[in-house]
Amino acid sequence: MTDNTENTENAVGTKSTEPVERHSYDVVVIGAGGAGLRAAIEARHAGKRVAVISKSLFGKAHTVMAEGGAAAAMGNVNPKDNWQVHFRDTMRGGKFLNHFRMAELHAKEAPDRIWELETWGALFDRTKEGKISQRNFGGHEYPRLAHVGDRTGLELIRTLQQRVVALQQEDKASTGDYEANLRVFAETTIVRLLKDASGRIAGAVGYYRETGQFVVFEAPAVIMATGGIGRSYTVTSNSWEYTGDGHALALLAGAALVNMEFVQFHPTGMVWPPSVKGILVTESVRGDGGVLRNSEGKRFMFDYVPDVFRKQYAETEEEADRWYDDQENNRRPPELLPRDEVARSINSEVKAGRGTPNGGVFLDVSTRLPAEEIRRRLPSMYHQFKELADVDITAQPMEVGPTCHYVMGGIEVDPDTQGTVVPGLYAAGECSGGMHGSNRLGGNSLSDLLVFGRRAGLHAAEYIDGLGTAGKPAVAAADVDAALEEALAPLANADGENPYTLHHELQVTMNTLVGIIRKPEEVSEALTKLEEFKPRRTKVGAAGGRRFNPGWHVALDLRNMLIVSECVAKAALEREESRGGHTRDDHPAMSSKWRQINLICSLNEDGSGIDLKHQPIPTIRPDLLGLFEVSELQKYFTDEELTVLGDSAEPVAEAKPAGEAKPAAEPEVKSEPATESKAEAKSEPEAKPEAKTEPAPIPGQSNGEKAADTAADKVAEKSTEKSATAEAEEQTAQAEAEAQTEDAETAAEEK
Amino acid sequence: MGYKGKFKVWRGDASGGDLKDFEVEINEGEVVLDIIHRLQATQAPDMACRWNCKAGKCGSCSAEINGKPRLMCMTRMSTFEQDETVTVTPLRTFPVIKDLVTDVGFNYAKAREVKSFTPPKDLLPGEYRMQQIDVERSQEFRKCIECYLCQNTCHAVRDHEENKDNFSGPRYLMRVAELDMHPLDTADRKNSAQEEHGLGFCNITKCCTEVCPEHIRITDNALIPMKERVVDRKYDPLVWLGNKIRRRTSSDA
Amino acid sequence: MATDTIAPGPEAPAPLSPARAQIEQKTLRTDRWWLSPLLTMLVLVAFIFYATFRAFQNADYYTGNLISPFYSPCIATKCVPGSSLGGFKPFGDWWSISPALLILIFPLGFRMTCYYYRKAYYRAFWQSPPACAVAEPHGKYTGERRFPLILNNSHRYFFYAGLIFNTILSWDAILAFRNPAGQWGHMSVGTLVLIANAVLLWVYSLSCHSCRHIMGGKLKHFSKHPLRYKGWTLVSKLNHKHMLFAWVSLFGVALTDAYVALVANGTFSNPTFF
Ligand SMILES: Cc1cc2nc3c(=O)[nH]c(=O)nc-3n(C[C@H](O)[C@H](O)[C@H](O)COP(=O)(O)OP(=O)(O)OC[C@H]3O[C@@H](n4cnc5c(N)ncnc54)[C@H](O)[C@@H]3O)c2cc1C
Ligand code: SF4
Ligand code: SF4
Ligand code: FES
Ligand code: FES
């Protein structure tokens, strides 16, 4: 571990005449958002030398913009909450297309990850007992989002940033150098991942935005944490960073992308003035009482509650309003349906001519809460509207409409290790796929970043340890040359097409043709256009020098945006159903057949485009399926799939008419935690059911990684260290909750 | 609705530069950052500026607009007269990289010098208990989006390069105050505030507060209280005596 | 306000880093940023002239029931008969100049070390800085780290002293419920003036930053000290308007003194209610 920063001519020995700076690390994390930083911290904890790379300044990644909160079933506000309920909500929200194992890990580990932040200095809002306060959010059964006003993402990233600094201070104390083991390369863009001859990750190449100079990172493990793809759309809540770099880089390196058709349109983005169109209006506005009305003043969401959600949502305004104060005895307002539902409903209202003058609907909190309270709970929304739109949200309604917000699809990873099919390549956060299924619940992203960021860091470290004597993969000089050549092309072509123009055309194409509602003929048209854009892309030019030249940066980002857009469009054309973030005009219903299919994108043979293939979705473990009522599952699954539930399915159905839900629910729920508590009492992680039931590993996962998996569980468990009784209590509480809130209603409803 | 507006944008780098004139279309509801983007897309593709969120949340787009340090994304064009020339220059206090982009490394260096959060050793994750009223003061300071406008405006370094070594600037003095007021921080920060971070340089002239886009009351709520805490520690014989006596009898803060 | 150490060096600006964007203008601000420091300076200068004149005048500060705040407490034997508080006159006949000079150091020191006035005079007089993002004309700047400006850290002691003065001035306001002959149960416009002055001074003192610190600001855990938290919350509210109270109470003192002076020198008579 010597200092290996060289700034000599061509330290990598490439043929190119470019001076290239070279660094060697154990782990390179691409992305300094929540996922990237959490991964870096974990890898550093594991004793690795880590570099974090970010396109923007340290602390400015997209995570900073998250507002509402981080979902974790800590049960601070409603003690009935626990991981099982969270798991159920997540699966329901994702319409059962989620990778069940990711949803499970996420629900189980999120509370620990949040608590850990406190030990690093985070200051969440508090409950009366001094615990972390939790707020309501769409799709979450109980108040679950840990938050700080409406700037939770800022708190999260600042805390992680300060944790990085704390580790650097430790290193400074022991080595005299802040950056000995953990260094942040800000304003550095990665343009290619590098592999060795045997196909393992060997590093990455990028350029410093400030100088335009190139830099090569040699590392046996690379973690992608680059966030989303929203810049391919005109109306988006995402920043310039979201050009899908991680998706594209991984794809180019041989990894696969899963379910790219699922793009979340957040129901409430600003619609006026035009220059801020798309900027997010946090869901907390609705969580805290805000309601949606059309131009006729009607709370239209009551008309749009889909069957699958009917029994959890209020039918009258009175009941909905009572819910804010008494959640035990009332059902939630339909404004808090999952985002895809709300976005589609707003879309329909506007199409039906009941929109506002600027093409949105009204979101009103001014008549719902006292002005003082609004300013306290939603300070940044108050400012945002005051300063950008001249609207006082304590006195007037806001105008809102859907905006491209989040991509559920992403790099296909192993649910436990976050490893991809490319050895040494990991992915976490928004750029990875699977966790959220077809639709992400609000607040599930921030916790996702922490849970899987940590896992990625841990497993990348284990992977390196496992490399042993086999040696570190070596970077091939020719690959670096090729990457430099590609990157320098626009500069050599100063008279080429304006990259901003092409970017704008791409945005318009995606926004209008592959937007919220998809028609096959429109998507096909988009694909044709994308094909036209491809050659144009290679001919764009960037005037000016290499130092901080945004024109050049856009020109380079275009490649990634085109790749990602093609994936989205191809998958959107393929999936003939409507589910979550994918709505097909010609197939408005959900199909149980399509639920069994993941659409996988990979680079085609000659690298000119995308291949799409069907892949069966991993089968959900029966103990997890058992957490749901059969009647609910029947809405999503085929009958054959449900036969695994076997006998237990029967009693549930039978018990209900008798109004005795409890005994029926118990045996099912118990079976799993019973083993689990035993395992925990013995503190023998191998005995854990989750370790026993191996999820189908995706190809390319080595044994070393599986060992890492159990180690991860061990760590996770240590930090929870909950007594078996506490766990059991949770179980009973959970069973009761189910009995009260759901089964009773279903019984009544189903006669 | 739309009109042609006059802009002057500083273009150049460390080796020199000057204000360049532009005429550019301006539409209703736009902010200065929109205009800079329009210039990039239509007239000056290599004009450098930083931005991310366009909603005043990330603190990337700091610049000086008509001489006032501000966020470009939160400065609406409607605050100017249509015939007014809008002048946009980079932050003055930091070395310029190119056009509107400056090297803000000073701030990251200062951030690293503040001793990080130091919780009680025996407190496990999940067992932290803090009352809302105890966290509120620090929460205000944690609203900081690190736009560095305050760091840029504080005359102690803006007009006196030589003070950069010994003065952390309002943002990081506020960070010290944040931790000193954190209900679970156990480190002592009073001496270091004065001796290492240069609290004494601040003459409470409040420019940091004036420019803070998050409306954090930096001077009133962080710097002055911190000065008072330093007085307790270093300059007030009565408090010193009181603490001496009390430490023998009880212990509470 | 007796220091010039802010700018000991040459008046030429120190070299700034050459790596900064080279912009010649001291500021590009287009608004009237100079207005506020100018006004501050004019008002403070006017006050200083008036106060100096009145303090040395050694006359017209007592009417038999009203006493000027500049001269209260009057603690020299040469004070106008009846003006001193409970006959407390430790300074004998040897003190031949104005008795105001014996006490003014306290209110003066209180205001000189006040966090708000510091801002005001640093900006208006020393132009350090004249306004935000306007270059200051000094080559060197050391802030409040050295003698004498480091003495500003003594503010809390002046605050304590200020409380004593407020109490005395409040008592003066009560004494104003007499007639010039010293009989109780009367009230005049002068009574109201003295009451207003005392109230303003209390509000100014209570909104003080040191007061806020002492009330509760120094605590780490508000939740363990609910009463002090209440006090702190209250003081914080007042503190928000400290600048306003600083000005209003300054005018208050000057106008009160002027009123007493005008009554004392017979320009007009103090209208009585009963
Ligand atoms: C306005 C808004 C509000 C939101 N609110 C919530 C909420 O309340 N709750 C919630 O759970 N989620 C919320 N989300 C979603 C959530 O914030 C994001 O999904 C999440 O922050 C993504 O984090 P990440 O770590 O994956 O990536 P990011 O935080 O986006 O970080 C990506 C990083 O990768 C870097 N990068 C990208 N490409 C490259 C490259 N080529 N080379 C080098 N570096 C690169 C970037 O510079 C950046 O540092 C919100 C999103 C938005 C836009
Ligand atoms: S108040 Fe202090 S820290 Fe803030 S700008 Fe003025 S001198 Fe700098
Ligand atoms: S304190 Fe305010 S002005 Fe200073 S960096 Fe933070 S947000 Fe910006
Ligand atoms: S772009 Fe984020 S603050 Fe302006
Ligand atoms: S701060 Fe102004 S009087 Fe104390």
Side-chain angles (χ1 to χ4, degrees):
Chain A
M1 296 204 182
T2 50
D3 184 23
N4 33 37
T5 310
E6 287 169 40
N7 204 348
T8 52
E9 292 274 314
N10 250 326
V12 251
T14 67
K15 285 202 215 86
S16 156
T17 53
E18 269 294 311
V20 177
E21 195 177 305
R22 180 180 119 183
H23 295 275
S24 155
Y25 282 92
D26 295 327
V27 179
V28 165
V29 181
I30 305 178
L37 292 180
R38 188 62 190 83
I41 290 168
E42 196 63 21
R44 161 64 181 71
H45 283 172
K48 299 292 173 250
R49 283 188 75 241
V50 185
V52 182
I53 303 169
S54 159
K55 286 211 278 195
S56 47
L57 289 171
F58 186 29
K60 313 272 179 220
H62 225 71
T63 302
V64 94
M65 295 162 67
E67 293 159 352
M74 297 181 283
N76 289 351
V77 171
N78 191 328
K80 286 181 186 167
D81 201 10
N82 57 36
W83 77 260
Q84 287 91 339
V85 188
H86 192 181
F87 171 79
R88 277 199 307 240
D89 289 344
T90 303
M91 294 298 288
R92 268 180 205 138
K95 305 255 159 63
F96 287 84
L97 205 72
N98 321 51
H99 195 306
F100 71 91
R101 175 64 176 161
M102 290 178 91
E104 180 195 8
L105 287 171
H106 170 256
K108 278 183 175 163
E109 293 178 7
D112 283 338
R113 296 288 80 76
I114 298 292
W115 286 323
E116 182 176 72
L117 290 182
E118 279 195 315
T119 69
W120 297 342
L123 286 175
F124 292 102
D125 288 347
R126 319 303 300 179
T127 65
K128 285 218 167 55
E129 309 88 78
K131 296 181 186 172
I132 296 173
S133 173
Q134 299 184 270
R135 70 153 50 112
N136 287 303
F137 234 56
H140 293 283
E141 185 166 341
Y142 298 118
R144 189 176 286 145
L145 268 69
H147 61 273
V148 189
D150 51 5
R151 55 166 191 87
T152 315
L154 173 64
E155 187 70 11
L156 193 120
I157 199 159
R158 203 62 83 228
T159 303
L160 294 173
Q161 186 183 347
Q162 285 160 355
R163 176 64 184 166
V164 166
V165 166
L167 291 170
Q168 289 180 329
Q169 287 176 351
E170 277 177 22
D171 289 343
K172 163 88 171 169
S174 60
T175 70
D177 177 10
Y178 280 118
E179 298 183 329
N181 296 317
L182 180 51
R183 176 162 172 197
V184 180
F185 291 82
E187 301 206 306
T188 306
T189 306
I190 296 296
V191 292
R192 279 277 177 175
L193 298 180
L194 302 169
K195 297 202 289 184
D196 75 351
S198 64
R200 299 178 302 167
I201 279 292
V205 54
Y207 62 89
Y208 294 126
R209 298 165 64 80
E210 241 175 58
T211 59
Q213 298 299 313
F214 289 98
V215 51
V216 167
F217 296 90
E218 294 173 337
V222 169
I223 299 173
M224 307 303 289
T226 56
I229 64 157
R231 279 324 273 182
S232 301
Y233 286 81
T234 358
V235 182
T236 175
S237 64
N238 296 172
S239 84
W240 65 268
E241 288 197 296
Y242 269 24
T243 49
D245 291 8
H247 295 82
L249 292 174
L251 193 93
L252 291 171
L257 306 185
V258 58
N259 292 342
M260 287 300 289
E261 64 278 28
F262 296 111
V263 177
Q264 180 169 76
F265 288 81
H266 194 289
T268 57
M270 291 175 81
V271 295
W272 195 92
S275 81
V276 299
K277 194 163 178 170
I279 290 183
L280 194 75
V281 180
T282 175
E283 190 166 327
S284 331
V285 175
R286 282 169 287 139
D288 286 349
V291 294
L292 291 165
R293 292 184 208 279
N294 60 20
S295 58
E296 295 161 4
K298 178 165 184 221
R299 265 179 86 173
F300 57 86
M301 279 311 295
F302 288 96
D303 303 341
Y304 290 94
V305 183
D307 284 345
V308 284
F309 288 114
R310 184 134 297 153
K311 65 187 171 117
Q312 287 118 348
Y313 288 84
E315 276 160 52
T316 63
E317 295 196 19
E318 292 70 36
E319 180 178 4
D321 288 347
R322 282 196 306 267
W323 175 86
Y324 291 101
D325 299 319
D326 178 8
Q327 294 165 16
E328 298 303 309
N329 303 310
N330 297 288
R331 289 171 298 172
R332 25 198 319 119
E335 275 87 2
L336 292 178
L337 275 162
R339 290 178 178 171
D340 52 329
E341 309 289 355
V342 185
R344 268 193 302 272
S345 313
I346 293 177
N347 204 53
S348 311
E349 283 297 305
V350 176
K351 280 223 167 119
R354 293 188 290 271
T356 65
N358 295 305
V361 295
F362 292 113
L363 171 59
D364 185 21
V365 62
S366 64
T367 55
R368 313 274 303 170
L369 289 175
E372 194 43 49
E373 191 68 9
I374 296 174
R375 274 191 295 264
R376 195 181 68 75
R377 288 207 221 174
L378 304 164
S380 48
M381 281 305 111
Y382 175 74
H383 276 125
Q384 186 173 314
F385 272 88
K386 191 99 205 150
E387 289 175 29
L388 292 175
D390 259 338
V391 168
D392 178 357
I393 66 167
T394 64
Q396 295 158 272
M398 302 161 240
E399 272 184 78
V400 296
T403 176
C404 175
H405 184 57
Y406 186 91
V407 58
M408 272 70 69
I411 304 169
E412 193 190 19
V413 291
D414 176 271
D416 290 75
T417 68
Q418 300 295 108
T420 66
V421 288
V422 182
L425 183 62
Y426 295 78
E430 187 170 345
C431 72
S432 70
M435 157 73 203
H436 303 288
S438 67
N439 175 48
R440 171 179 72 91
L441 291 187
N444 265 3
S445 172
L446 291 185
S447 39
D448 163 16
L449 308 180
L450 297 170
V451 167
F452 295 106
R454 173 184 154 280
R455 283 184 163 266
L458 189 74
H459 291 280
E462 304 267 354
Y463 165 78
I464 295 168
D465 292 340
L467 284 179
T469 49
K472 272 188 173 186
V475 168
D479 292 347
V480 177
D481 281 341
L484 302 198
E485 195 184 329
E486 182 185 21
L488 287 171
L491 286 171
N493 182 24
D495 302 328
E497 184 178 354
N498 183 343
Y500 293 101
T501 314
L502 185 53
H503 180 204
H504 185 67
E505 282 181 39
L506 170 68
Q507 287 183 313
V508 173
T509 305
M510 290 303 284
N511 215 70
T512 49
L513 302 179
V514 201
I516 306 186
I517 313 286
R518 286 135 185 204
K519 300 184 177 150
E521 58 284 4
E522 288 184 351
V523 179
S524 308
E525 188 188 334
L527 279 166
T528 319
K529 286 207 168 166
L530 289 175
E531 285 305 319
E532 288 165 22
F533 293 157
K534 279 186 196 173
R536 276 173 65 189
R537 197 273 297 175
T538 58
K539 293 199 201 76
V540 294
R546 275 163 70 173
R547 274 185 312 124
F548 221 112
N549 182 346
W552 181 38
H553 303 162
V554 173
L556 294 183
D557 292 342
L558 276 172
R559 177 197 70 196
N560 302 335
M561 286 190 269
L562 280 174
I563 291 178
V564 172
S565 300
E566 186 178 344
C567 290
V568 174
K570 277 216 164 123
L573 188 60
E574 183 76 7
R575 188 176 285 277
E576 295 183 322
E577 64 161 345
S578 293
R579 179 186 297 274
H582 171 67
T583 306
R584 275 282 290 262
D585 199 43
D586 51 338
H587 293 92
M590 226 162 21
S591 133
S592 329
K593 282 271 173 277
W594 272 103
R595 195 208 67 81
Q596 298 170 291
I597 294 163
N598 278 337
L599 290 178
I600 305 290
C601 292
S602 52
L603 200 63
N604 65 11
E605 285 280 300
D606 61 356
S608 65
I610 304 300
D611 277 344
L612 192 69
K613 72 166 196 265
H614 291 203
Q615 181 176 291
I617 190 170
T619 319
I620 304 186
R621 283 207 320 272
D623 60 305
L624 293 176
L625 265 192
L627 295 173
F628 298 89
E629 290 166 47
V630 175
S631 59
E632 177 172 12
L633 295 178
Q634 280 161 344
K635 296 171 188 157
Y636 298 95
F637 289 76
T638 58
D639 290 343
E640 306 90 82
E641 288 177 283
L642 292 181
T643 50
V644 292
L645 287 178
D647 304 337
S648 59
E650 302 280 323
V652 178
E654 260 169 39
K656 243 181 271 144
E660 270 290 321
K662 231 168 151 186
E666 249 169 356
E668 251 186 277
V669 181
K670 244 191 206 155
S671 62
E672 202 249 351
T675 32
E676 181 157 41
S677 1
K678 225 187 286 158
E680 276 187 16
K682 280 192 284 174
S683 77
E684 206 123 64
E686 274 76 13
K688 279 195 75 178
E690 39 179 291
K692 260 193 281 181
T693 339
E694 262 314 314
I698 65 172
Q701 293 302 318
S702 68
N703 276 337
E705 276 164 51
K706 248 179 242 148
D709 159 30
T710 34
D713 283 342
K714 208 185 284 177
V715 175
E717 239 159 79
K718 225 190 257 157
S719 53
T720 343
E721 210 73 22
K722 276 215 180 133
S723 70
T725 44
E727 188 93 357
E729 263 166 31
E730 270 177 28
Q731 288 316 313
T732 347
Q734 186 266 335
E736 268 167 18
E738 222 175 271
Q740 278 181 17
T741 55
E742 282 176 22
D743 295 10
E745 281 161 17
T746 326
E749 228 175 63
E750 291 181 357
K751 281 163 248 131
Chain B
M1 213 166 272
Y3 66 96
K4 285 266 179 204
K6 287 195 276 306
F7 259 70
K8 271 184 193 299
V9 183
W10 194 88
R11 301 214 57 193
D13 54 27
S15 64
D18 47 28
L19 291 168
K20 292 268 190 289
D21 289 293
F22 292 96
E23 239 194 43
V24 53
E25 183 192 324
I26 293 161
N27 301 316
E28 195 191 356
E30 285 184 332
V31 293
V32 171
L33 185 62
D34 289 314
I35 310 306
I36 298 293
H37 282 160
R38 181 159 305 128
L39 289 176
Q40 284 181 337
T42 58
Q43 304 180 35
D46 62 338
M47 181 187 282
C49 86
R50 283 197 185 102
W51 70 284
N52 268 22
C53 65
K54 220 174 160 286
K57 293 204 169 83
C58 71
S60 305
C61 63
S62 308
E64 301 191 2
I65 301 167
N66 281 354
K68 281 196 185 166
R70 313 199 52 167
L71 296 178
M72 287 192 282
C73 69
M74 295 306 271
T75 307
R76 302 187 71 198
M77 287 307 298
S78 59
T79 55
F80 305 106
E81 301 298 326
Q82 297 207 349
D83 54 3
E84 193 175 345
T85 304
V86 180
T87 310
V88 189
T89 52
L91 300 182
R92 276 212 203 203
T93 305
F94 311 120
V96 68
I97 292 172
K98 189 180 154 206
D99 304 340
L100 301 178
V101 174
T102 53
D103 174 0
V104 291
F106 167 73
N107 303 291
Y108 289 99
K110 293 298 174 188
R112 269 212 290 240
E113 287 164 12
V114 180
K115 184 178 166 47
S116 42
F117 173 56
T118 317
K121 289 224 160 47
D122 50 352
L123 200 54
L124 293 174
E127 289 175 4
Y128 282 50
R129 295 290 176 274
M130 297 181 259
Q131 291 303 317
Q132 186 62 33
I133 55 172
D134 293 338
V135 300
E136 254 156 17
R137 278 182 299 179
S138 299
Q139 277 185 332
E140 180 191 6
F141 309 146
R142 290 182 73 84
K143 287 197 310 200
C144 169
I145 55 173
E146 301 204 333
C147 63
Y148 309 129
L149 286 173
C150 59
Q151 301 282 89
N152 166 62
T153 314
C154 179
H155 67 113
V157 285
R158 185 182 174 95
D159 299 331
H160 304 278
E161 187 78 25
E162 70 281 4
N163 287 342
K164 279 189 180 171
D165 286 343
N166 302 315
F167 180 57
S168 292
R171 182 345 174 189
Y172 295 101
L173 288 166
M174 178 173 88
R175 166 83 172 135
V176 176
E178 171 207 320
L179 289 166
D180 207 53
M181 295 175 191
H182 190 299
L184 289 177
D185 186 69
T186 56
D188 180 67
R189 299 172 187 277
K190 280 128 197 146
N191 284 329
S192 66
Q194 189 77 349
E195 285 150 22
E196 290 162 36
H197 305 296
L199 182 56
F201 276 102
C202 167
N203 67 354
I204 53 175
T205 37
K206 286 202 174 174
C207 285
C208 48
T209 308
E210 236 173 76
V211 298
C212 178
E214 284 293 295
H215 308 291
I216 303 173
R217 297 178 59 222
I218 308 171
T219 320
D220 284 351
N221 289 349
L223 303 179
I224 294 177
M226 209 55 218
K227 279 192 176 236
E228 285 292 320
R229 284 166 181 234
V230 169
V231 173
D232 279 352
R233 173 61 49 82
K234 292 177 72 98
Y235 306 118
D236 189 337
L238 275 188
V239 174
W240 178 81
L241 201 70
N243 281 345
K244 268 264 141 91
I245 297 165
R246 214 174 332 136
R247 204 163 298 152
R248 293 217 188 98
T249 49
S250 81
S251 57
D252 171 55
Chain C
M1 303 182 202
T3 171
D4 53 8
T5 50
I6 285 187
E11 289 293 285
L16 298 172
S17 160
R20 294 187 183 198
Q22 321 258 293
I23 299 167
E24 278 157 30
Q25 295 88 331
K26 275 186 178 318
T27 183
L28 288 166
R29 279 181 70 165
T30 51
D31 55 340
R32 285 184 296 170
W33 55 264
W34 41 266
L35 189 62
S36 155
L38 186 70
L39 283 180
T40 309
M41 183 159 88
L42 291 179
V43 173
L44 284 181
V45 166
F47 180 84
I48 290 166
F49 272 111
Y50 176 78
T52 312
F53 164 73
R54 280 291 290 153
F56 281 95
Q57 192 189 16
N58 198 4
D60 301 337
Y61 57 83
Y62 188 61
T63 65
N65 56 351
L66 308 176
I67 184 165
S68 153
F70 285 0
Y71 285 81
S72 178
C74 207
I75 51 171
T77 42
K78 283 196 172 167
C79 287
V80 177
S83 63
S84 55
L85 198 68
F88 179 66
K89 298 175 191 177
F91 287 81
D93 279 351
W94 53 270
W95 183 267
S96 52
I97 49 172
S98 169
L101 301 177
L102 289 169
I103 52 156
L104 275 187
I105 178 71
F106 293 101
L108 185 70
F110 186 36
R111 288 191 191 246
M112 287 245 331
T113 58
C114 161
Y115 287 96
Y116 169 67
Y117 282 105
R118 273 145 79 182
K119 172 195 165 190
Y121 63 75
Y122 288 139
R123 280 199 185 196
F125 288 86
W126 276 282
Q127 309 207 353
S128 176
C132 301
V134 177
E136 60 175 305
H138 310 293
K140 228 174 152 186
Y141 172 82
T142 55
E144 300 190 320
R145 299 180 315 140
R146 304 205 178 144
F147 182 80
L149 289 185
I150 200 168
L151 291 182
N152 275 335
N153 284 315
S154 61
H155 182 56
R156 61 178 61 169
Y157 284 101
F158 286 106
F159 165 72
Y160 295 135
L163 294 184
I164 298 174
F165 274 76
N166 290 351
T167 313
I168 293 170
L169 294 186
S170 307
W171 178 242
D172 288 343
I174 292 171
L175 291 181
F177 281 95
R178 301 175 306 175
N179 62 13
Q183 289 150 324
W184 286 95
H186 296 276
M187 193 175 168
S188 62
V189 172
T191 319
L192 292 181
V193 171
L194 259 60
I195 291 175
N197 183 44
V199 168
L200 288 176
L201 286 172
W202 275 113
V203 178
Y204 170 59
S205 304
L206 288 178
S207 65
C208 164
H209 286 277
S210 289
C211 175
R212 187 174 180 225
H213 175 74
I214 295 159
M215 277 310 267
K218 65 198 303 183
L219 297 173
K220 200 154 190 134
H221 297 105
F222 283 145
S223 55
K224 291 187 189 158
H225 306 268
L227 267 182
R228 290 182 71 179
Y229 176 60
K230 273 223 176 84
W232 178 84
T233 317
L234 206 88
V235 171
S236 297
K237 281 211 180 97
L238 291 175
N239 179 264
H240 216 92
K241 298 209 174 73
H242 190 57
M243 171 175 124
L244 178 75
F245 297 140
W247 284 118
V248 177
S249 66
L250 188 77
F251 286 119
V253 171
L255 293 177
T256 307
D257 172 75
Y259 188 86
V260 175
L262 293 177
V263 173
N265 71 14
T267 309
F268 63 86
S269 64
N270 178 22
T272 51
F273 301 126
F274 49 85

